Amino acid sequence: MTYQARVTAEGQLVLPEELAEELGLRPGTVLTIAREDGKLVLKNYEQVVRDVQARFRAMLPPGDQNSIADELIADRRAEAARENVDHGRWSRDRPGA
């Protein structure tokens, strides 16, 4: 569907209410506007974050597409498991326990 937007005297872009509702835009929503191939492209925060993440992911060496966050979570879980084992030994070996 095609919509018409208008620019106010203050330079604000006003979208039709129907389009804003369809896109889930609320008052105060911040959009990024980019020119790509002679077209205006509007993106919300989540879309910009996904685009940036994809760009960084593309910089990883082939075969190294693991999530750094996933690796960090796995490291923390392994560390917690080691601490639980160490705590169990400490509790068991304590004099008077």
Side-chain angles (χ1 to χ4, degrees), residues 10-26:
E10 295 81 25
Q12 296 176 333
L13 181 65
V14 179
L15 300 177
E17 186 176 351
E18 179 184 343
L19 176 61
E21 286 178 9
E22 182 181 315
L23 297 174
L25 303 176
R26 305 282 178 256

Side-chain angles (χ1 to χ4, degrees), residues 1 3 9 19 22 24 28 31-32 49 53-54 64 67 83 89:
M1 178 171 264
Y3 296 93
L19 176 61
E22 182 181 315
L31 299 173
T32 298
V49 169
Q53 288 172 337
D64 191 13
S67 165
E83 288 176 2
R89 282 189 203 129

